[in-house]
Amino acid sequence: MTVLSVCAISTNGALDAGGAYYMISRALGPEFGGSIGIMFFLANVCGSALYILGLVEAIVDMFGFSPDQEGKHGLHVLPQSYWYEFLYGTVLLLICLLVCLVGASIYAKATFLIFIVVMVVLITVFVSFFAVKERTIFINNGNNSNLTGNFTGFKLSTLKNNLYPSYTTDYTTKKMMTFATVFAVMFNGCTGIMAGSNMSGDLKNPSYSIPRGTITAVIFTYIIYNLLALMTCCTCDRTLLLNDYSFLRDINIWSPFVTIGIYCSTLSASMSNLIGASRILYALAKDELFGILLKPAKKTSRGGNPWVSVIMSWFLVQLVLFAGKLNTIAAIVTIFFLLVYAAVGLACLALEWASAPNFRPTFRYFTWYTCILGILGCVVMMFLIQPIYASASIAFMLILLLCLHYVAPSHGWGFISQALIFHQVRKYLLMLDVRKDHVKFWRPQVLLLVSNPYNHQNLITFTNDLKKSGLFVLGHVSLDELDTLPSDPLQTQSDSWLQLVDELEIKAFVNLTLSDSVRHGAQQLLFISGLGSMRPNTVVLGFYTRSTPEELLKSDEELETHGSSSFTFSAAGFKPSRENFSPWEYVAIISDSIKMSKNVVLARYFSEFNRYSVRGKETYIDVWPLNLLRPDSTAYVDTCSLFLLQMACVLNMVRSWKKATLRLFLCIETESGLRGQEVKLKQLLKDLRIKASIQTVVWDSVVALHWHKQAPTDSEASEEAYLNFPNNSSRISNDYLHAVNQMILGQNALSPPIVRFLYLPRPPADTSVYTRFLHQLETITRNLGPTLLIHGTNPVTSTEL
């Protein structure tokens, strides 16, 4: 299953040095690839040591001198002890090092020669099963000098006796063997199938050679191992198999053949793992994932051989030789390889599930379920072999992954996670049906229009809190004509905006547009922002500012000749704007937003807002749910008031704002009676599950200045004016506006709030009074500190379960 994944990835593009590491890193990204690359490197290092130890055991068994060897075949002249065996392993490893230092070409020639020798030996082994007659073999295993085993030739009775498991203790660890422990040792005889892919950087055409060579190796190995197992269990009794590890030599037509074969195959396997480890280390160093730590490993000879990587790999193999016995490290080597094989399957599975058009491997004999079967097989066997080693290996890999995530330099390899996320997001966006929206599950989805974002970071971070896990889009209008430009200027600006999003650590999208006016650009953003059901339902604007408030009272004709404004979102890009943006156009944008059924939030004085002052202190959020420009309405339960309460409650639910206290200000007249209105408001808050304290404000002296309290000179004209509210905006006196402003400021005596929520009336239908309307808003909010003027267009609260 793993080989099918290797073949698929290797035929999907050009391969470089590193084999499986290169495939995984280019598919799953540098973090995952780097951590698995280290695991694969260690697996090859330990694998090389394992084969050297196996070869030492074979040499000692044949030539070692100790009492155990008396009566055995061979010339027993070599001293035998732990340190002597370590010396023999060092010498053998030095031979491997010399071959690998010369380069890949001499290694390829050496392994081909070894392949020929091993094939000849295998032929003699298979011939011996038929040619050798029945014989009794005397076994000296150091415990019982009179023990004998039988070579019976092909007999059904021998096959039946060997068919079922009957595990005994291991000769090195003295522990009872199981299927998993035998598998751990046996599996190391199969890891050589990845040797070809490890040499991907040295192959002339890796995309052609790796699939054919690897699949051939798997099929050939499978057939040979099964034939050997079948013939052995048909011809050798259990006593011989359990006690004589060199039984193939004892039953061969010429016993030295098997000895030569064992020496050649183990030496070849050790060289293969050593050169594979060096190529993986070289690939890791070349990708600079570990910085200066692996920098020396990038050095190569004139022929391109990474000799420093070879020496570093050899040194680590030399350290592993201290383990002493093959079976001691067999389990950990197998677990490392299984982890890498699982990662290869995962890489192929991710590429297949991402459905990227550029994943077009020429090798097609795989599917997503072959990948899953390979992954599951590897993971299950890891934990069956040794759960502690498996858990420790995965933990080590995850630690490496986290370290690389924070310290590794960025690479332009592409991230499969992005392709998978896109695939899933598209699927779920299509499932998100706007017709199934319900007020119970409403949340603010915000479009914040900004100009120079570095001047309005406080507002951006505050809006990020206000969205309550909803959609957040930063919108920007650049003023220019595409017809006069050689290319789209927004493409170069996009990266700067995304960098700002990262710096501020906010969860936001960026939407930029090009237009001939701010209003037209804002309309574009209102129409196109979002996707499917994920569209902004609330627009946040910075407040319009001029050098002096009196300029807001000038006519539109005067403003058009006055010069450019400093409105918070009108400046183009990150540089000063050259547009002429009038108060009339600003109010028109508010009106356009409401016409599109968007809730509107105007933010003022947020340059004074300090987000960090919220944390760990007793702070207040003040809410004024009455329409202060229409005190005659006396309504606290209209759509806009309820939206105001909802937004204040949403802000209070954010973790950093949880300690803030909501204060709801109830404006009453003495004659209207206090008790009844307060009771109704408390009941409303209870029904909406909003926790807030109610502060009553007697405002008789303030409301007396409003036009509807003045004695009309002509009752009919007054009635007509009352019914035609747009005309009434011009009748609100500056005295009333100043009085309302002072009334709000007067509440600071309690304790100044960190932010205020005020009711934003709908702009008048008569567009000629837009400028006066903006002046009224400016006067009411003057010097209030961070303030939000909010207008809601749709119901957003629910009392239902």
Side-chain angles (χ1 to χ4, degrees):
M1 298 301 175
T2 301
V3 164
L4 295 179
S5 298
V6 168
C7 295
I9 298 174
S10 64
T11 58
N12 191 53
L15 274 179
D16 205 344
Y21 155 71
Y22 187 87
M23 300 176 197
I24 296 166
S25 61
R26 270 43 177 191
L28 300 181
E31 297 95 342
F32 204 91
S35 58
I36 285 294
I38 289 293
M39 303 298 287
F40 197 25
F41 168 69
L42 293 175
N44 278 275
V45 164
C46 294
S48 180
L50 180 139
Y51 292 119
I52 289 290
L53 292 174
L55 179 53
V56 168
E57 289 186 23
I59 291 174
V60 168
D61 185 66
M62 186 70 180
F63 299 105
F65 177 75
S66 75
D68 293 346
Q69 269 70 35
E70 290 182 13
K72 282 193 174 184
H73 293 291
L75 184 64
H76 304 291
V77 293
L78 295 178
Q80 185 177 353
S81 69
Y82 171 83
W83 289 108
Y84 272 115
E85 290 178 15
F86 178 77
L87 176 63
Y88 305 150
T90 301
V91 173
L92 293 169
L93 182 59
L94 189 62
I95 296 171
C96 296
L97 171 66
L98 293 174
V99 172
C100 293
L101 280 176
V102 173
S105 58
I106 191 67
Y107 162 77
K109 292 173 183 177
T111 51
F112 180 74
L113 180 63
I114 289 172
F115 172 75
I116 298 299
V117 172
V118 171
M119 285 302 301
V120 171
V121 172
L122 274 174
I123 291 170
T124 65
V125 168
F126 286 123
V127 168
S128 297
F129 283 116
F130 296 93
V132 174
K133 297 180 180 179
E134 295 183 25
R135 62 174 63 172
T136 299
I137 299 168
F138 294 93
I139 303 169
N140 187 345
N141 61 358
N143 297 320
N144 189 344
S145 59
N146 298 319
L147 195 64
T148 59
N150 295 309
F151 174 76
T152 64
F154 288 93
K155 286 189 177 180
L156 185 60
S157 59
T158 306
L159 174 63
K160 287 181 178 179
N161 291 333
N162 288 327
L163 203 56
Y164 299 101
S166 179
Y167 296 112
T168 58
T169 57
D170 177 31
Y171 73 101
T172 53
T173 62
K174 306 305 178 183
K175 294 180 180 178
M176 180 61 69
M177 300 298 284
T178 62
F179 170 79
T181 52
V182 172
F183 178 89
V185 177
M186 178 65 187
F187 188 79
N188 290 288
C190 305
T191 55
I193 59 173
M194 296 289 278
S197 64
N198 288 345
M199 297 289 294
S200 55
D202 300 294
L203 297 173
K204 184 178 180 180
N205 188 356
S207 294
Y208 176 87
S209 303
I210 288 175
R212 288 162 177 79
T214 309
I215 290 175
T216 303
V218 171
I219 295 172
F220 182 80
T221 304
Y222 181 78
I223 292 171
I224 294 297
Y225 282 5
N226 275 282
L227 282 175
L228 275 174
L230 182 63
M231 290 185 174
T232 299
C233 71
C234 287
T235 58
C236 302
D237 69 6
R238 188 177 292 270
T239 304
L240 181 63
L241 298 179
L242 281 175
N243 296 279
D244 186 359
Y245 297 113
S246 57
F247 71 92
L248 283 177
R249 186 177 60 201
D250 296 332
I251 63 172
N252 199 270
I253 52 176
W254 188 53
S255 58
F257 268 139
V258 174
T259 302
I260 294 168
I262 290 173
Y263 293 175
C264 288
S265 60
T266 48
L267 195 64
S268 169
S270 180
M271 277 195 294
S272 172
N273 279 268
L274 179 59
I275 202 167
S278 67
R279 278 4 183 218
I280 296 164
L281 186 64
Y282 171 66
L284 286 165
K286 198 165 67 167
D287 288 338
E288 298 182 345
L289 295 182
F290 294 88
I292 196 171
L293 192 65
L294 296 181
K295 189 176 180 179
K298 290 196 292 184
K299 293 183 179 180
T300 60
S301 64
R302 290 182 181 179
N305 186 33
W307 61 273
V308 177
S309 294
V310 173
I311 291 174
M312 292 172 69
S313 303
W314 162 81
F315 177 74
L316 291 176
V317 175
Q318 185 68 52
L319 293 180
V320 179
L321 290 181
F322 281 103
K325 291 293 183 181
L326 179 150
N327 286 12
T328 308
I329 60 171
I332 190 65
V333 174
T334 296
I335 287 172
F336 278 174
F337 272 110
L338 286 171
L339 190 59
V340 174
Y341 289 3
V344 171
L346 181 63
C348 188
L349 178 67
L351 289 168
E352 178 71 6
W353 275 356
S355 301
N358 282 323
F359 183 58
R360 299 190 298 269
T362 55
F363 181 85
R364 297 302 306 166
Y365 301 102
F366 77 100
T367 60
W368 62 268
Y369 55 83
T370 60
C371 300
I372 288 180
L373 286 173
I375 295 168
L376 290 177
C378 291
V379 173
V380 168
M381 287 313 303
M382 279 172 58
F383 283 93
L384 282 179
I385 291 168
Q386 181 54 266
I388 296 176
Y389 287 176
S391 302
S393 300
I394 293 172
F396 179 60
M397 183 197 72
L398 292 175
I399 291 170
L400 283 174
L401 192 149
L402 288 173
C403 292
L404 287 171
H405 178 73
Y406 289 106
V407 302
S410 58
H411 288 78
W413 301 340
F415 293 88
I416 191 65
S417 58
Q418 295 297 302
L420 289 171
I421 290 169
F422 174 87
H423 187 71
Q424 295 302 310
V425 167
R426 182 191 66 86
K427 180 172 71 174
Y428 287 113
L429 268 177
L430 291 170
M431 295 170 62
L432 197 60
D433 192 344
V434 68
R435 295 167 296 184
K436 297 179 181 178
D437 284 348
H438 194 279
V439 68
K440 286 191 298 185
F441 308 111
W442 180 90
R443 69 183 71 224
Q445 306 203 96
V446 180
L447 169 64
L448 171 61
L449 298 175
V450 290
S451 60
N452 190 332
Y454 286 106
N455 292 340
H456 300 95
Q457 293 185 18
N458 291 341
L459 179 57
I460 294 172
T461 54
F462 175 82
T463 308
N464 187 61
D465 288 342
L466 196 64
K467 75 180 189 304
K468 181 55 180 172
S469 68
L471 179 69
F472 183 19
V473 180
L474 288 174
H476 170 70
V477 180
S478 283
L479 295 182
D480 223 323
E481 294 283 350
L482 192 59
D483 292 340
T484 63
L485 299 171
S487 61
D488 181 8
L490 300 180
Q491 294 177 0
T492 57
Q493 295 179 24
S494 180
D495 287 344
S496 299
W497 283 82
L498 293 173
Q499 184 180 354
L500 176 74
V501 168
D502 294 337
E503 289 175 1
L504 296 179
E505 296 181 348
I506 59 175
K507 297 177 181 178
F509 298 96
V510 174
N511 213 338
L512 311 179
T513 189
L514 195 68
S515 180
D516 59 348
S517 73
V518 176
R519 184 187 180 190
H520 291 159
Q523 288 176 348
Q524 292 172 21
L525 291 173
L526 289 167
F527 278 124
I528 67 172
S529 292
L531 189 65
S533 294
M534 291 190 67
R535 292 186 178 276
N537 54 32
T538 303
V539 180
V540 179
L541 308 172
F543 201 79
Y544 189 96
T545 56
R546 287 279 189 168
S547 56
T548 59
E550 289 74 19
E551 292 179 14
L552 291 172
L553 297 176
K554 295 187 178 184
S555 66
D556 290 344
E557 290 78 13
E558 292 174 305
L559 285 164
E560 287 173 3
T561 60
H562 185 75
S564 64
S565 71
S566 57
F567 171 55
T568 42
F569 81 85
S570 60
F574 287 64
K575 299 175 290 186
S577 175
R578 58 177 177 77
E579 86 285 4
N580 182 4
F581 183 64
S582 68
W584 184 93
E585 192 174 3
Y586 176 77
V587 179
I589 291 173
I590 299 172
S591 181
D592 293 341
S593 302
I594 295 173
K595 288 177 183 177
M596 296 180 194
S597 296
K598 308 292 185 186
N599 309 302
V600 178
V601 178
L602 307 183
R604 191 175 191 191
Y605 293 121
F606 271 83
S607 59
E608 304 172 10
F609 175 72
N610 183 5
R611 186 186 184 197
Y612 298 101
S613 64
V614 181
R615 299 175 180 175
K617 296 181 181 179
E618 185 178 0
T619 53
Y620 297 95
I621 301 171
D622 285 1
V623 182
W624 297 77
L626 179 66
N627 184 351
L628 296 172
L629 294 185
R630 283 287 305 272
D632 52 304
S633 64
T634 64
Y636 285 91
V637 289
D638 65 1
T639 300
C640 191
S641 297
L642 293 175
F643 181 76
L644 195 72
L645 288 170
Q646 179 79 330
M647 292 302 286
C649 181
V650 165
L651 182 63
N652 198 206
M653 293 170 69
V654 177
R655 180 180 298 176
S656 58
W657 290 82
K658 282 186 181 293
K659 292 185 178 180
T661 303
L662 284 182
R663 295 191 302 197
L664 190 60
F665 287 86
L666 175 62
C667 298
I668 63 162
E669 298 177 53
T670 308
E671 62 185 27
S672 66
L674 166 63
R675 185 65 183 164
Q677 291 189 47
E678 188 174 0
V679 169
K680 289 180 181 178
L681 195 54
K682 282 184 176 179
Q683 185 60 42
L684 174 65
L685 294 175
K686 182 180 178 182
D687 292 341
L688 295 175
R689 289 92 60 206
I690 296 176
K691 186 180 179 181
S693 64
I694 298 176
Q695 308 289 330
T696 56
V697 180
V698 179
W699 72 325
D700 295 55
S701 60
V702 177
V703 77
L705 299 173
H706 195 265
W707 64 265
H708 85 281
K709 290 289 186 179
Q710 308 295 321
T713 56
D714 185 346
S715 60
E716 292 182 359
S718 177
E719 180 67 21
E720 181 183 356
Y722 186 82
L723 295 173
N724 188 13
F725 173 67
N727 293 333
N728 294 333
S729 64
S730 60
R731 300 178 62 186
I732 300 174
S733 67
N734 282 337
D735 291 339
Y736 170 75
L737 297 172
H738 285 295
V740 170
N741 176 257
Q742 292 302 310
M743 176 187 69
I744 298 172
L745 280 172
Q747 305 309 311
N748 284 358
L750 297 171
S751 183
I754 196 165
V755 65
R756 287 184 174 91
F757 285 68
L758 271 60
Y759 189 115
L760 173 66
R762 189 185 183 107
D766 184 359
T767 59
S768 64
V769 295
Y770 274 5
T771 303
R772 177 165 289 278
F773 173 74
L774 184 56
H775 165 69
Q776 293 165 355
L777 299 179
E778 192 279 331
T779 304
I780 287 179
T781 59
R782 191 175 299 162
N783 300 322
L784 291 185
T787 302
L788 298 178
L789 287 159
I790 298 178
H791 183 89
T793 58
N794 297 301
V796 294
T797 56
S798 173
T799 57
E800 299 176 2
L801 183 63

